[in-house]
Amino acid sequence: FTACSSCPGAGQDVGRSCILVSIAGKNVMLDCGMHMGYNDDRRFPDFSYITQNGRLTDFLDCVIISHFHLDHCGALPYFSEMVGYDGPIYMTHPTKAICPILLEDYRKITVDKKGETNFFTSQMIKDCMKKVVAVHLHQTVQVDEELEIKAYYAGHVLGAAMFQIKVGCESVVYTGDYNMTPDRHLGAAWIDKCRPDLLISESTYATTIRDSKRCRERDFLKKVHETVERGGKVLIPVFALGRAQELCILLETFWERMNLKAPIYFSTGLTEKANHYYKLFITWTNQKIRKTFVQRNMFEFKHIKAFDRAFADNPGPMVVFATPGMLHAGQSLQIFRKWAGNEKNMVIMPGYCVQGTVGHKILSGQRKLEMEGRQILEVKMQVEYMSFSAHADAKGIMQLIRQAEPRNVLLVHGEAKKMEFLKQKIEQEFHVNCYMPANGETTTIFTNPCIPVDISLGLLKREAAIGPVPDAKKPKLMHGTLLMKDNSFRLVSPEQALKELGLAEHQLRFTCRVHIQDPRKEHETVLRVYNHLKGVLKDYSVQHLPDGSITVESILIQATAHSEDQGTKVLLVSWTYQDEELGSYLTSLLKKGLPQSTA
Amino acid sequence: MPRGCAALLPGVCAALADPRQPGLDDTCLEKLLDWFRSLTWFDPTVELVQDNPCLTELISSVLALPEPSPSILSFTLQLAGILASSESRFQHLQQEKLLERLFGQAGPRGRAVWEDASVRSGWVKGVHSMVHHQPALHLLCSEGGMDVIFTLQGDPSLFVASAASQLLVHILTFSVESEPSKPLGTKDCEWPACAQMIKRHIEESLQSSSASRIEQSLKLLTSLFGSCYAAWTEALWLDIAKQIESFLMEETVQAQHLLANLLLNVARSPVFCDTEGSFWALVTSALEHLTPVQAGPLAVGLLKLCKCPQDVRIQALTVLLQPMDCILRAASQPLEYAGLLDESVSDPVTVESLLSSKTSCAGLLCQTLAHLEKLLSLKHLEVDLPCMSLLRSLMAILQFCNGFLSPASPLGSTISRNLINCFRVQKSALDVLAALSEKKGCDTLLGSLFDVLLAYLESPNTSPTVLKKAFQATSKWLMHLQELSCSSSQCQRTEKILKDVFVVLQKRLCSPCWEVRDSSLEFLTAMIKCLRDQDEFRQCLLSSEVPRLTENLLEDPESYVRASAVTAVGHLACITYFAPESPVLGNQDNKENTVAKLQEILSTDSEGFPRRAVISIFTKWLREGCTGQLEDTEQFVSRVIQTVEHDLDWEVRLGGLELVEAFCSQTICQRGLSECPYAPAPSAATSASHQQDLLQGFCRAKLFGFLFRSLCDCDKPVGQRACDILIGLRGNFYPMSTLENPREIGDSPAGRGIAWLQRTLRQGSLAQNFPTGGDNGVDFQDPESMMVALGAIDLLELHDELNKSSDHVEESPQSLLQDILATVGTIEDNEVDCY
């Protein structure tokens, strides 16, 4: 068995997550992400490394998507509708529901660009989603007769899951992105003690010592509050679904507690949409939200209202969540342009921005932006970066390893140099191998699988009857014929095997020559041998046949005179394999020679 | 290089070489390399490096770093390679021996940093860019570079290994082709030194006992023959052909699929198209010796070739048809049907054993079916496909899969056990079935074919993905059925089939699974599109429950289904309420109901897909003249415009503009005005009155407000489209020649409004924001004002502005340089975060 993992995509945190795992002859692709930083072929993983092995649909047994972020699912419609993969795709129910929204969002941004070809259409997104098989948590899904998968809760975002992939007794766990600490709306990742042969874990924050979440939240609220107090407007560019909901809950509770009056708006249409999905998938949120849901739905915000374009010009303070998250188009950019010139206002960027976007520019400190038509936009408003994304840190990764007890660990999504520390720690603490393959590198892991074998009832009974009574503590040796057919192993009696395979039985006899010194006639020598054996082997049936040969059970002994030396007799001893022990015993007995005088 | 960039470049270079700076995003470095590639592509002069000494300084300072970061070193290697792609720049860089220090023995090759895959990758890419002239090749060879590349072919990183292989192909081609031309023979000494090295390396690898070395060389040869069609490749082939043949015969090497790829690429090369004998004999023996799975891709590739000996083609086809033949024989009683193949040609044992095995059966069939689908899609195929038998075989496969066929023969029952409920095979078979519908000669089997299809459509065991393919195949074959000449018995049969189809469809439209409901609606739409003119079809459809169920789905909880229902209802309306000969004609209530329902979806549905579907159906109706008399149409358009104007989905707004465009061109045609500016002009008087009518009509439909406001839409494509439409409209009211010289605006109240509009647009199209409060006296429904606006506003200028940059992701090199400078300038390292 070899489980090889290679990433046709880049392994940075905004990169294309895409891992290929071969386990016991099955090939599974884990995630199919895109790189937001490129506008050409480089945005998708290079699938030609897989197509070298023949048609994709024939080569891959299935594709598994861990969650709806584009760096994990963005290339999926391209892969299934344009590259031509037509096999099964698995993801959780919420991921299947939310994925198309984000894909549509991204498609919009992309086709907005001129001359954009080689990109999927809305119809393709739909056709792709129709191929997806949605799975429940902890439900064992049989992909085919040998391959099964199972999803575990991963926190991170709504619907995010870790997947266990199992073929026979070999298994791999892929974590996707996960979070080991519960937050305001999601719970913590959890997995069985499933002891996989390999755990593939993300390690985005493997080396980041993050300031406490509470601190970050306090800081965020303080900044928003201060701005609103001095009459300024706060813009928070976000993606449609995901961490935005966490921030909404945070602000909503704060507004409630502080009894604030400034309005909070969320990009129109999206509040309803988000609300809809969180209601639909309430079981995927954390305990607190689920418990209070009956009395009050946490996502039905009292203070957060739908945004209208006209509100941006309203005087007075306000907080607006607007899409898209990198300030590169649409509503968020429109509002940014209106508010940028006023130093009382603030923009809070809660996520990563790719190079070239306004978001990236202002985060890197640029304050004079050249907009189209050579207009210069002077940014006087305050610019803040605040990360709220939910990944496991080094402590969380160790915790998950402790939970799952894997035999090997493979870290992806991180810089090799920085991860070295974590790798050492894992190896020291858990005494398992830890790998960190670079992009495009294959890691091979050897395992000693125990292979289940079916045994025929007849054989079992027959073998059980022989020898001591079966004892659970003592392993019992059984004899039979191993049939390997159609990927299954069966132990059957030799007769049955012959019958099934349509083979004729052949008898194998072992023959051995023993020279003894005896000048007498041949038949006298035979008689001497017969008497000797009869004396030694009291429990066996020793016979002297009329043709001059001796049999001891199935063993046959004949004597001839040596062609050159009449004083030497040659004993031909032959036996079947069933009597091998007795045969070799007899030969060694005869080799010692005959007793000097026999009566 | 633009001056702005030249000014920024030294700062960027200094920052890149500074080890204290935090690491840059890899995409920035990649984009920077893209830019240098574009700068050097057409310009071999030395100026770039001469005028920007910072570039050489960057290289030497990175070289001087004791421990450069892998990403910067990789970048530097690639940059140096790109710069050294022309001889003059190569010499310039070599003045300080920079290239030798980067790519030679003293370079990173021997250092610890070489362990990092990105450095090795950078080195290979750098060399690839550099080797475009002899001095570069010389440098590489003299510094032992070739051996490094040979080693890198087996690199643990797929990317590096594949790049190294590509590099060898490039070097071999360059080395041979840059020498003065003389025909190359198989003798080594006739080849240029570097080519000799590679040739010898290939030969040695092929003869070695190492499987991985053999594989590497096979891959290298495959890409060489796939990319280079020069005559000298024949000499190389002659050298290795024997070895390749022995691999095929002895089967000692487990690289059969690589051999198939190689042979296919050689077969494709024009160099070998005329070769009589030896090469094609090898191909023939490959088809014999490879397993059906390995030979499949080779066979299908051969069948696509224009020039290929006919006997090879027939053999290739045999390879593909063998599994189908085997299926057919396993499925049928002896002598019931002639098989697909003449038995003497094929040895069925291998295929039979593959089909008998659970593990290989589905794989072989899926692959074969995929190849057949490819063949069926080809316009020209030089061999005849036995379509009828193929169809029989396909039907057998489909029946094996759903358990409808379990023959008594041992092979048949094994195959049926192997295939039962196998979705993969079902999907592939249905794909081929759909493709086969375009071939002639299968008509006698239509009855049983539809039985098979209907069984799939009906069965609750059919998975949604399989069902979708079954629908697709059914609609293809229904189309085929329609094309057949209609005798009365034929008509009866068609009617029966259609009735059965609608009964199934009724059930499927009520499926709890949204994917099924959606595929059913798509199927319905596809049927209406191609069968709408057929009486039987219309009757069957209208007498079934399907129309009612379809309308119900307009309220489906799943937005994708609502959208498909809108499309289906829209198409249904075309053959019911809007069709002149329709039996339901005159039912004005129904018609208004449908329109009102769609209108409601357009204004209230919370999801974009159904709204987009409504607007495109409205446009379709308008184009097909379904919306009634002109007066009605004006009202209809104005109502729709008012709804979509504030839609949050840009594609709905864009759809609204399409509707406007369709309306305009239709009205212009109906009013007798030609859309074509070059058409003979009607007399001035009639023309003027027509124009007046037209303008009034457009104003009544409230077009102009929508169009002018759309120019400032926050989504660029909307603005661009609106501008295109306005330019087109202007052409109807003003001569084309005036387009470039907008009229002056007179000083009237209307004129002042328009002047304001002009100013607003000039700023607004850039700021993408039309003022929300008040229109400052612009009356968008006043024909006179609009005439002035069309004449005075410089639409061409707006058009250029809107098209200048259609996205906000700034892609200019200057912006990139600024971003890099700004990023390295920030003291705080913003934690890169995955959102």
Side-chain angles (χ1 to χ4, degrees):
Chain A
F1 159 79
T2 52
C4 324
S5 310
S6 71
C7 324
Q12 272 110 39
D13 23 5
V14 287
R16 307 145 284 192
S17 276
C18 189
I19 299 170
L20 187 66
V21 171
S22 301
I23 167 171
K26 299 280 168 185
N27 299 309
V28 178
M29 195 162 107
L30 301 170
D31 281 336
C32 189
M34 72 184 310
H35 196 303
M36 309 266 267
Y38 293 111
N39 299 321
D40 50 24
D41 285 349
R42 285 174 287 187
R43 69 176 148 225
F44 297 131
D46 190 346
F47 297 115
S48 66
Y49 292 98
I50 310 180
T51 46
Q52 279 174 2
N53 300 306
R55 280 180 68 237
L56 274 175
T57 317
D58 296 334
F59 178 73
L60 283 181
D61 291 279
C62 73
V63 173
I64 294 172
I65 301 293
S66 63
H67 64 287
F68 62 63
H69 278 150
L70 291 174
D71 54 337
H72 292 259
C73 74
L76 192 61
Y78 171 75
F79 186 61
S80 75
E81 307 306 308
M82 298 170 83
V83 184
Y85 171 72
D86 199 18
I89 303 164
Y90 295 92
M91 52 178 84
T92 64
H93 284 276
T95 307
K96 182 176 179 180
I98 298 167
C99 234
I101 301 176
L102 292 165
L103 288 169
E104 276 292 330
D105 242 24
Y106 193 75
R107 192 187 70 81
K108 188 220 135 173
I109 294 159
T110 315
V111 297
D112 195 336
K113 296 178 187 130
K114 270 189 91 79
E116 185 61 55
T117 50
N118 205 17
F119 206 76
F120 43 80
T121 62
S122 279
Q123 180 69 32
M124 286 177 185
I125 297 176
K126 180 173 89 171
D127 288 341
C128 170
M129 294 328 287
K130 279 165 79 174
K131 289 178 185 167
V132 171
V133 181
V135 301
H136 294 285
L137 282 182
H138 306 162
Q139 168 200 7
T140 302
V141 178
Q142 207 73 40
V143 176
D144 58 34
E145 278 173 14
E146 290 113 32
L147 173 63
E148 61 181 48
I149 60 170
K150 192 173 177 181
Y152 291 97
Y153 193 77
H156 187 63
V157 283
L158 192 71
M162 306 190 267
F163 278 89
Q164 183 191 30
I165 301 124
K166 210 171 158 193
V167 182
C169 58
E170 290 155 41
S171 65
V172 173
V173 167
Y174 171 59
T175 64
D177 289 350
Y178 64 105
N179 187 12
M180 293 300 281
T181 44
D183 56 26
R184 268 163 210 275
H185 75 300
L186 296 171
W190 179 87
I191 193 161
D192 275 332
K193 199 172 284 302
C194 54
R195 301 196 174 97
D197 293 299
L198 175 65
L199 174 83
I200 303 173
S201 170
E202 66 130 341
S203 52
T204 314
Y205 286 161
T207 49
T208 321
I209 316 259
R210 308 192 76 200
D211 46 350
S212 91
K213 212 173 67 131
R214 209 160 279 279
C215 262
R216 250 177 301 140
E217 287 178 0
R218 215 170 22 230
D219 200 24
F220 168 75
L221 292 171
K222 194 171 146 230
K223 278 178 177 148
V224 174
H225 191 195
E226 279 170 4
T227 310
V228 172
E229 283 293 279
R230 64 168 180 260
K233 298 176 166 67
V234 181
L235 170 65
I236 310 174
V238 289
F239 282 107
L241 275 154
R243 304 311 300 166
Q245 277 66 43
E246 179 81 3
L247 296 182
C248 283
I249 297 178
L250 194 62
L251 277 189
E252 170 84 7
T253 25
F254 185 70
W255 248 239
E256 186 80 29
R257 199 172 71 228
M258 306 291 288
N259 197 19
L260 295 179
K261 293 285 175 275
I264 310 175
Y265 298 114
F266 202 107
S267 265
T268 347
L270 282 174
T271 14
E272 294 88 351
K273 210 177 272 183
N275 215 334
H276 171 71
Y277 287 113
Y278 278 89
K279 252 190 234 168
L280 205 60
F281 301 114
I282 192 77
T283 50
W284 287 80
T285 55
N286 68 20
Q287 226 178 1
K288 192 182 161 199
I289 291 195
R290 284 203 304 270
K291 266 189 189 162
T292 52
F293 184 70
V294 191
Q295 300 124 40
R296 196 188 138 229
N297 174 5
M298 190 74 108
F299 295 103
E300 253 155 36
F301 301 114
K302 210 167 106 190
H303 298 274
I304 304 176
K305 302 195 176 62
F307 179 73
D308 185 287
R309 245 193 316 181
F311 294 170
D313 297 322
N314 287 357
M318 68 174 87
V319 180
V320 176
F321 288 92
T323 56
M326 299 196 218
L327 281 183
H328 52 281
Q331 210 166 49
S332 61
L333 184 68
Q334 200 173 41
I335 300 172
F336 173 76
R337 282 175 153 162
K338 284 188 188 215
W339 295 357
N342 190 335
E343 62 275 9
K344 276 203 294 189
N345 298 340
M346 176 185 286
V347 57
I348 300 180
M349 305 295 298
Y352 170 80
C353 296
V354 301
Q355 186 275 320
T357 58
V358 171
H360 182 270
K361 285 180 189 293
I362 57 169
L363 276 183
S364 64
Q366 300 181 57
R367 289 295 173 263
K368 282 198 169 128
L369 306 180
E370 192 184 312
M371 306 309 265
E372 287 133 65
R374 306 212 169 275
Q375 283 187 328
I376 300 289
L377 181 69
E378 200 167 340
V379 182
K380 291 185 184 149
M381 77 199 292
Q382 292 180 57
V383 178
E384 295 290 339
Y385 177 79
M386 225 168 262
S387 161
F388 284 91
S389 85
H391 293 270
D393 54 7
K395 215 172 106 195
I397 295 170
M398 298 295 276
Q399 202 182 331
L400 187 82
I401 297 174
R402 208 166 292 126
Q403 266 186 26
E405 291 192 0
R407 296 190 185 92
N408 297 279
V409 175
L410 190 144
L411 300 175
V412 291
H413 265 218
E415 257 182 78
K417 220 174 171 182
K418 286 187 185 168
M419 289 187 318
E420 193 61 40
F421 174 71
L422 180 67
K423 172 181 146 80
Q424 281 173 8
K425 216 171 153 209
I426 291 170
E427 289 183 330
Q428 271 167 18
E429 190 170 334
F430 301 106
H431 308 289
V432 296
N433 290 324
C434 182
Y435 305 88
M436 308 178 301
N439 280 324
E441 253 175 45
T442 301
T443 307
T444 307
I445 290 151
F446 294 93
T447 60
N448 287 320
C450 45
I451 300 164
V453 174
D454 292 330
I455 181 164
S456 80
L457 195 61
L459 180 69
L460 188 66
K461 279 182 182 163
R462 199 173 81 187
E463 288 285 314
I466 306 167
V469 186
D471 180 358
K473 282 179 195 159
K474 270 191 188 164
K476 186 180 159 71
L477 195 63
M478 285 193 174
H479 297 266
T481 309
L482 186 67
L483 281 188
M484 298 194 286
K485 216 175 152 190
D486 282 348
N487 263 13
S488 73
F489 294 83
R490 280 185 306 134
L491 200 63
V492 297
S493 66
E495 301 83 57
Q496 196 184 337
L498 287 174
K499 211 173 125 193
E500 274 191 37
L501 300 174
L503 297 174
E505 189 175 351
H506 295 270
Q507 284 291 337
L508 194 67
R509 286 191 83 86
F510 301 91
T511 308
C512 180
R513 283 159 198 270
V514 182
H515 296 249
I516 47 173
Q517 296 300 319
D518 190 4
R520 274 165 268 211
K521 291 258 157 76
E522 283 160 21
H523 70 270
E524 285 174 40
T525 311
V526 171
L527 203 63
R528 285 187 70 202
V529 171
Y530 170 69
N531 288 333
H532 174 54
L533 293 181
K534 192 125 179 148
V536 180
L537 305 166
K538 292 221 167 57
D539 295 337
Y540 295 87
S541 95
V542 185
Q543 287 180 343
H544 188 187
L545 302 182
D547 67 348
S549 49
I550 305 167
T551 59
V552 182
E553 307 284 328
S554 74
I555 297 155
L556 186 74
I557 305 166
Q558 287 173 323
T560 51
H562 199 280
S563 52
E564 286 161 15
D565 174 12
Q566 288 296 318
T568 304
K569 297 286 174 300
V570 182
L571 294 181
L572 277 170
V573 186
S574 91
W575 64 90
T576 65
Y577 81 97
Q578 286 98 334
D579 282 325
E580 202 184 336
E581 260 173 71
L582 186 61
S584 26
Y585 171 68
L586 263 183
T587 359
S588 57
L589 192 70
L590 291 170
K591 274 183 182 161
K592 285 180 194 157
L594 297 171
Q596 279 311 309
S597 64
T598 343
Chain B
M1 187 186 292
R3 202 177 296 157
C5 293
L8 291 167
L9 194 57
V12 169
C13 287
L16 289 174
D18 184 350
R20 289 163 306 170
Q21 295 291 358
L24 265 174
D25 191 346
D26 277 355
T27 51
C28 289
L29 296 177
E30 282 275 317
K31 287 177 185 172
L32 203 53
L33 290 172
D34 287 350
W35 179 49
F36 280 108
R37 241 171 247 131
S38 69
L39 283 177
T40 54
W41 198 254
F42 294 110
D43 178 18
T45 62
V46 75
E47 277 162 31
L48 177 66
V49 274
Q50 230 162 30
D51 298 351
N52 299 287
C54 59
L55 291 171
T56 22
E57 280 157 23
L58 167 65
I59 298 173
S60 33
S61 27
V62 171
L63 275 168
L65 291 176
E67 265 183 57
S69 82
S71 69
I72 287 298
L73 185 55
S74 172
F75 168 80
T76 310
L77 285 161
Q78 294 180 67
L79 174 68
I82 292 168
L83 295 177
S85 59
S86 85
E87 205 169 328
S88 57
R89 286 190 301 258
F90 177 90
Q91 302 299 3
H92 182 91
L93 293 175
Q94 268 303 69
Q95 285 167 9
E96 290 175 53
K97 301 265 177 246
L98 289 180
L99 298 166
E100 209 171 303
R101 286 159 64 200
L102 277 171
F103 298 107
Q105 276 153 349
R109 267 154 59 184
R111 287 155 70 178
V113 75
W114 190 249
E115 288 298 303
D116 194 292
S118 68
V119 174
R120 299 196 300 275
S121 167
W123 189 89
V124 173
K125 285 182 187 163
V127 172
H128 200 136
S129 313
M130 179 173 75
V131 177
H132 282 100
H133 45 82
Q134 282 296 335
L137 192 62
H138 182 75
L139 171 74
L140 184 70
C141 293
S142 64
E143 288 283 326
M146 294 307 293
D147 287 331
V148 178
I149 307 173
F150 293 148
T151 314
L152 288 177
Q153 272 185 292
D155 199 86
S157 162
L158 281 177
F159 302 150
V160 176
S162 144
S165 181
Q166 292 301 327
L167 176 58
L168 284 177
V169 172
H170 169 72
I171 295 176
L172 178 59
T173 317
F174 173 75
S175 158
V176 173
E177 287 169 9
S178 62
E179 291 273 301
S181 65
K182 55 173 179 187
L184 289 176
T186 49
K187 274 187 215 134
D188 276 0
C189 57
E190 293 167 11
W191 293 57
C194 184
Q196 258 182 54
M197 274 168 94
I198 300 176
K199 187 166 167 273
R200 214 174 304 137
H201 168 74
I202 295 173
E203 287 162 6
E204 280 168 13
S205 304
L206 289 178
Q207 279 158 14
S208 78
S209 55
S210 148
S212 64
R213 281 189 67 191
I214 295 175
E215 280 188 23
Q216 286 160 19
S217 280
L218 288 177
K219 279 185 190 164
L220 194 160
L221 287 167
T222 307
S223 56
L224 174 71
F225 286 106
S227 61
C228 176
Y229 299 145
W232 59 267
T233 52
E234 192 178 358
L236 182 64
W237 174 255
L238 291 175
D239 242 16
I240 54 156
K242 273 272 163 290
Q243 192 63 42
I244 302 294
E245 192 176 354
S246 78
F247 288 150
L248 273 173
M249 302 302 158
E250 291 160 20
E251 293 174 18
T252 43
V253 195
Q254 292 303 310
Q256 256 61 17
H257 70 284
L258 294 178
L259 288 176
N261 288 347
L262 172 61
L263 286 175
L264 187 56
N265 273 3
V266 178
R268 280 179 187 143
S269 166
V271 178
F272 294 87
C273 70
D274 292 330
T275 318
E276 282 287 314
S278 69
F279 171 69
W280 293 108
L282 185 58
V283 172
T284 314
S285 97
L287 288 172
E288 274 163 21
H289 280 86
L290 296 172
T291 67
V293 176
Q294 292 156 351
L298 175 61
V300 77
L302 289 170
L303 285 166
K304 280 193 205 165
L305 293 179
C306 307
K307 284 187 180 168
C308 171
Q310 187 68 6
D311 55 334
V312 177
R313 268 193 204 121
I314 290 173
Q315 180 150 14
L317 188 63
T318 310
V319 168
L320 295 182
L321 291 181
Q322 236 169 10
M324 305 301 284
D325 176 61
C326 191
I327 290 281
L328 196 56
R329 278 185 291 106
S332 57
Q333 303 296 326
L335 301 177
E336 189 184 355
Y337 305 121
L340 269 159
L341 295 169
D342 188 356
E343 276 201 59
S344 62
V345 182
S346 57
D347 168 30
V349 179
T350 330
V351 173
E352 270 175 27
S353 72
L354 284 170
L355 288 178
S356 312
S357 150
K358 180 102 193 161
T359 37
S360 55
C361 179
L364 174 64
L365 279 181
C366 284
Q367 203 205 49
T368 306
L369 290 165
H371 292 326
L372 287 172
E373 193 197 349
K374 219 177 267 172
L375 285 190
L376 284 165
S377 69
L378 290 181
K379 283 213 174 71
H380 300 290
L381 190 61
E382 304 286 339
V383 284
D384 288 329
L385 281 173
C387 293
M388 178 97 103
S389 309
L390 204 54
L391 182 57
R392 270 207 190 96
S393 182
L394 280 173
M395 278 155 45
I397 293 177
L398 285 169
Q399 285 176 307
F400 277 136
C401 290
N402 65 0
F404 277 42
L405 189 65
S406 39
S409 73
L411 181 61
S413 66
T414 314
I415 294 180
S416 81
R417 262 202 316 278
N418 288 343
L419 287 183
I420 193 135
N421 272 336
C422 182
F423 296 157
R424 278 170 66 200
V425 175
Q426 289 175 347
K427 284 195 283 186
S428 307
L430 286 164
D431 279 338
V432 185
L433 199 62
L436 199 61
S437 71
E438 280 157 30
K439 300 281 167 192
K440 292 194 173 65
C442 303
D443 301 342
T444 49
L445 291 176
L446 282 176
S448 37
L449 167 69
F450 275 102
D451 287 344
V452 174
L453 283 173
L454 277 165
Y456 268 84
L457 297 182
E458 269 161 17
S459 165
N461 292 331
T462 307
S463 89
T465 45
V466 174
L467 184 76
K468 185 180 166 175
K469 303 244 175 196
F471 274 138
Q472 279 164 352
T474 309
S475 65
K476 284 271 182 108
W477 279 97
L478 281 173
M479 251 195 285
H480 179 83
L481 200 63
Q482 179 214 18
E483 286 159 11
L484 295 177
S485 62
C486 197
S487 66
S488 69
S489 67
Q490 199 104 35
C491 281
Q492 271 174 0
R493 189 175 67 184
T494 308
E495 209 177 309
K496 164 91 178 53
I497 291 172
L498 283 169
K499 269 194 181 134
D500 291 344
V501 167
F502 282 119
V503 170
V504 177
L505 192 57
Q506 261 160 239
K507 223 186 290 167
R508 292 297 188 179
L509 285 172
C510 306
S511 163
C513 174
W514 74 263
E515 290 91 343
V516 171
R517 297 196 300 276
D518 191 73
S519 299
S520 309
L521 288 166
E522 284 179 335
F523 171 61
L524 175 64
T525 307
M527 276 203 297
I528 298 175
K529 270 186 190 165
C530 59
L531 301 173
R532 55 187 284 183
D533 299 326
Q534 222 190 5
D535 288 336
E536 297 99 353
F537 171 75
R538 278 202 306 270
Q539 276 158 15
C540 286
L541 170 60
L542 297 178
S543 60
S544 73
E545 285 288 292
V546 168
R548 189 183 58 81
L549 292 170
T550 307
E551 285 211 16
N552 288 352
L553 290 179
L554 290 175
E555 281 153 34
D556 198 276
E558 182 63 42
S559 65
Y560 275 139
V561 179
R562 288 201 299 278
S564 296
V566 166
T567 312
V569 165
H571 281 82
L572 257 176
C574 289
I575 57 167
T576 52
Y577 320 127
F578 298 144
E581 74 279 30
S582 156
V584 217
L585 180 74
N587 194 339
Q588 195 64 23
D589 285 352
N590 270 349
K591 175 178 165 181
E592 276 165 17
N593 255 341
T594 306
V595 178
K597 253 186 211 156
L598 296 196
Q599 183 87 47
E600 193 193 327
I601 290 175
L602 185 64
S603 49
T604 58
D605 201 299
S606 62
E607 300 276 345
F609 308 119
R611 300 200 306 269
R612 284 183 216 167
V614 172
I615 193 75
S616 69
I617 279 298
F618 281 171
T619 310
K620 177 187 157 62
W621 283 353
L622 191 71
R623 287 208 177 111
E624 293 190 7
C626 300
T627 44
Q629 297 308 306
L630 215 52
E631 290 302 311
D632 291 353
T633 308
E634 269 170 22
Q635 274 178 15
F636 171 75
V637 170
S638 106
R639 218 168 41 231
V640 174
I641 287 176
Q642 280 168 308
T643 318
V644 297
E645 197 167 17
H646 302 293
D647 202 290
L648 296 165
D649 187 321
W650 69 286
E651 285 187 63
V652 176
R653 298 196 299 276
L654 198 65
L657 287 172
E658 255 161 54
L659 180 93
V660 165
E661 200 176 17
F663 172 67
C664 291
S665 61
Q666 207 174 42
T667 319
I668 291 166
C669 284
Q670 280 169 352
R671 306 260 183 200
L673 284 173
S674 167
E675 258 194 289
C676 171
Y678 305 109
S683 75
T686 51
S687 151
S689 85
H690 276 174
Q691 277 186 350
Q692 202 54 35
D693 281 358
L694 198 62
L695 203 55
Q696 276 168 358
F698 289 162
C699 285
R700 278 196 300 275
K702 305 200 177 87
L703 291 193
F704 289 108
F706 178 42
L707 285 172
F708 281 116
R709 283 194 196 99
S710 292
L711 287 175
C712 306
D713 197 283
C714 71
D715 288 298
K716 270 270 167 82
V718 178
Q720 287 167 337
R721 191 57 175 266
C723 194
D724 290 342
I725 297 173
L726 281 168
I727 289 174
L729 277 182
R730 192 185 191 280
N732 280 290
F733 302 104
Y734 291 96
M736 279 313 260
S737 53
T738 62
L739 192 57
E740 281 168 27
N741 307 304
R743 301 258 163 121
E744 292 291 319
I745 301 168
D747 189 31
S748 62
R752 276 195 290 279
I754 299 307
W756 170 85
L757 180 65
Q758 195 177 26
R759 282 195 307 276
T760 306
L761 288 177
R762 201 169 288 151
Q763 294 153 9
S765 71
L766 303 172
Q768 301 198 329
N769 182 25
F770 198 87
T772 38
D775 289 334
N776 274 35
V778 184
D779 184 356
F780 288 111
Q781 291 182 57
D782 172 34
E784 211 174 309
S785 306
M786 288 304 104
M787 189 71 185
V788 177
L790 278 177
I793 291 167
D794 192 345
L795 292 167
L796 276 191
E797 188 193 47
L798 273 174
H799 185 264
D800 287 349
E801 285 298 334
L802 285 165
N803 277 290
K804 209 174 270 168
S805 149
S806 61
D807 56 48
H808 302 289
V809 180
E810 190 62 65
E811 306 223 45
S812 69
Q814 189 165 345
S815 152
L816 175 65
L817 295 172
Q818 276 165 349
D819 283 357
I820 295 177
L821 271 181
T823 309
V824 293
T826 42
I827 304 124
E828 266 177 276
D829 181 6
N830 277 329
E831 200 173 277
V832 171
D833 204 351
C834 162
Y835 198 63

